[in-house]
Amino acid sequence: MSAAPRYDTSAGVFSGLRRHFADLRDMSHAEVATTRREKEAVFESSVELLSPVAVGVLEDLDDALLEGQGTITDSGVVPMRDGGLVRTWSLSWPDQVARGIDPVRLVAFYGGGFHHPHLRGGTLGEWPFNVFDAEQAEAERGTLTAIAAAEVHN
């Protein structure tokens, strides 16, 4: 008899991974997008859902560690050199800027050669990014918090 899982595997990162693997298996994105343009449209919608979560994570970090002295910026969706799309949320603060240290970055991107989008930090690797509604976006709060905390560490 196996022990009960320690985590709710129906929510958060586990459900995001299930959507990620379904995309790979079905060669689609969000169950309906199969062309590059359709996937880009889903990405643009997804980052709008994720934006308040990403900003909230950076605001929490700013309040907890910088006493509100940080500045949060949002790039909006912009093209990448490889033909993909990217949106970056950044947190910077005066001491960090004065020392020439990169800001804390949360990045959602759909690379030109990628099957579907991913999340990453400025100094970290990629996480699956399969968000199609506000509840799924909120479920990424833990992932974004972990990325932001690792960014501060790095």
Side-chain angles (χ1 to χ4, degrees):
M1 179 187 244
S2 63
R6 291 178 290 183
Y7 306 104
D8 178 1
T9 59
S10 67
V13 69
F14 296 113
S15 63
L17 283 170
R18 276 195 294 281
R19 290 188 302 274
H20 174 77
F21 293 133
D23 276 3
L24 295 173
R25 178 194 66 225
D26 300 339
M27 296 302 295
S28 66
H29 187 54
E31 299 178 356
V32 296
T34 57
T35 69
R36 177 73 194 192
R37 184 60 208 130
E38 289 170 339
K39 292 176 183 182
E40 287 176 349
V42 171
F43 174 78
E44 291 175 11
S45 173
S46 297
V47 294
E48 284 303 313
L49 293 166
L50 192 67
S51 189
V53 180
V55 169
V57 165
L58 295 177
E59 287 172 341
D60 290 348
L61 185 62
D62 182 31
D63 291 343
L65 299 179
L66 304 173
E67 298 177 347
Q69 298 301 306
T71 301
I72 296 169
T73 59
D74 177 349
S75 70
V77 176
V78 296
M80 298 170 64
R81 282 186 234 153
D82 71 355
L85 297 174
V86 64
R87 185 165 178 178
T88 304
W89 300 269
S90 301
L91 171 64
S92 60
W93 56 97
D95 288 343
Q96 163 259 329
V97 171
R99 289 177 172 80
I101 299 169
D102 287 337
V104 172
R105 289 189 304 264
L106 300 173
V107 181
F109 72 102
Y110 180 22
F114 282 63
H115 173 69
H116 53 218
H118 290 83
L119 296 172
R120 70 175 178 223
T123 61
L124 301 171
E126 288 86 27
W127 281 263
F129 178 49
N130 296 73
V131 169
F132 312 120
D133 62 40
E135 183 178 352
Q136 292 169 356
E138 184 58 39
E140 293 297 335
R141 181 174 298 276
T143 300
L144 294 173
T145 300
I147 292 170
E151 286 284 295
V152 168
H153 173 264
N154 289 345

